[in-house]
Amino acid sequence: MSNESFINIGRFVLLVLLQVVVLNQINFLGYVNPSLYILFLLVLPINYPSWQVILLGFLLGLSVDFFEDTGGIHAAACLVISYFRPGLLRASYGLSYDYQTMKFHDTSIKERLTFVITMVFIHQLVLSLLVFFNFSHIILILKNTLFSGIFTVLLILVVTSLFRKAKR
Amino acid sequence: MTNIIDFFIRHKNTLLFIFLLLISLGLTFQSHSYQRSKFISSSNAVSGGVFKVRNNIESYFGLKESNHRLINENKKLREKILNFQGENNTYIFPDTTGFSANYTIFNANVISNNYSKLDNYILIDKGGKDNLEEDQGVITSQGIVGVVEKTSKNYSRVISILNTNLAVSAQLKNSEHFGTLSWNGGNPNVVELSDVPRLAKIEKGDTIITNGRSLIFPKGIPIGNVINYELDEAEDYYVVQVRLFNDMTNIGNVYVIRNNSKEEIENLNYSDE
């Protein structure tokens, strides 16, 4: 087990605990909860093989589901974003992804923002669709996606910038 | 043959994705149907433990409020006792030798409460070890909360009244007309009482209570009051909007009710069939 694996396991546990103990209790305006835990999938090293990322995404979502009594909705949402992650990485970062040289923090803010926003909103949309599970609630689904998505993006940007400074 | 193996290797990511997606969607469908989800439940030791630690810390911040609530409840019960004595002029000493009590009440703490989804669950810190079982009613001093759905050794999962899968039989306090109480999302303080016969006299502000038809809740547990009512499309039944007495977003201590004669009644029903 390398040092990196330990960091990743620690991050996994920490983010899941933070999500279920603190963040899912916020209920801002009654229903807005940020999903910070997908930060784990965002900052995974890009040279990880895809099948590992998919498996990790599934486990990440499932562990949140265990706490939230939500069946498999977090697992499904995480699966979708971890499956589309390579494609989104290529779309957001272009050439530097193909050379596999960049790290999450070293990229320009524009590229990073594109990546974070697309990932968060896909995740949030799948999540809301499965939570409400009914097209008669479509307005509620979109509202939930929009507000929780904005909340999540902001939180992810804050957390990532905090931790980058701590490392330097 | 090599082609098939080749295909699998080339598409291993997609196949893995589809396979896991099917599993998670299966779990999701299961949690949405009335067929209860048994696999993924927060009443396991790990999540129960985590929530309990959080609740231990959190409960200190709510001590004043919960004291206040208990005092109010005590006051209400005191009043009842005093008025009861007044009617009979003698103090009642309950004689417990002749008959067994019909209902047993357990107390429990809510350690996790959801209300922002369509299918909400509550986790409480008593379980099979404390004689809790499935299909026991859960109430607070103000009104109903839900029904125990699954128990583990130390924890139980309660299907909240704010869950689209739960339907409770309820009636008007001033008449015997009854209907089905359910929730269809949205406001966590308003539920819907449907199938109330047109003959029933309803007014805004009327109190809704449980009726003893199901073996889960005894008759007369308060639920809420009427804020609005209208006839349904067929104009045969009323659909009544009920504001819950309980603030479902803020529940601390709950009581779990066990109906001691449930088995006997159930046996009677079975022998009938």
Side-chain angles (χ1 to χ4, degrees), chain A residues 17 20-22 24-27 30-33 49-52 54-55 58 62 65-77 79-81 83-84 129-134 137 140 144, chain B residues 12-17 19-25 27-29 31-32 37 39-44 46-48 50-51 54 58 112-119 121-123 157 184-186:
Chain A
L17 281 183
V20 297
V21 175
V22 181
N24 278 338
Q25 313 297 323
I26 291 179
N27 288 319
Y31 57 89
V32 180
N33 282 330
S50 289
W51 66 270
Q52 269 187 31
I54 291 175
L55 212 58
F58 180 69
L62 204 63
D65 280 327
F66 257 110
F67 284 91
E68 289 298 301
D69 282 314
T70 41
I73 62 168
H74 287 277
L79 260 181
V80 171
I81 57 167
Y83 179 69
F84 288 116
L129 275 174
L130 289 177
V131 168
F132 292 104
F133 206 61
N134 193 338
H137 292 289
L140 208 58
N144 200 345
Chain B
K12 66 172 193 284
N13 289 335
T14 312
L15 289 173
L16 181 68
F17 169 67
F19 173 65
L20 292 177
L21 193 68
L22 285 179
I23 293 179
S24 50
L25 287 181
L27 291 171
T28 308
F29 291 148
S31 79
H32 277 294
S37 57
F39 294 125
I40 306 290
S41 157
S42 65
S43 64
N44 61 60
V46 179
S47 51
V50 169
F51 282 133
R54 187 191 69 194
E58 244 178 25
S112 161
N113 178 19
N114 288 321
Y115 47 85
S116 56
K117 286 171 264 183
L118 272 190
D119 295 323
Y121 294 95
I122 296 168
L123 196 64
R157 183 164 81 159
N184 44 19

Side-chain angles (χ1 to χ4, degrees), chain A residues 7 14-15 24-25 34 44 47-48 50 52-53 56 64 68 70 74 77 84 97 108 129 137 140 149 152 159 161 167:
Chain A
I7 292 178
L14 204 72
L15 280 172
N24 278 338
Q25 313 297 323
L44 265 187
N47 53 4
Y48 260 47
S50 289
Q52 269 187 31
V53 177
L56 280 172
V64 174
E68 289 298 301
T70 41
H74 287 277
F84 288 116
Y97 170 71
S108 80
L129 275 174
H137 292 289
L140 208 58
T152 310
V159 169
S161 62
K167 269 181 192 167

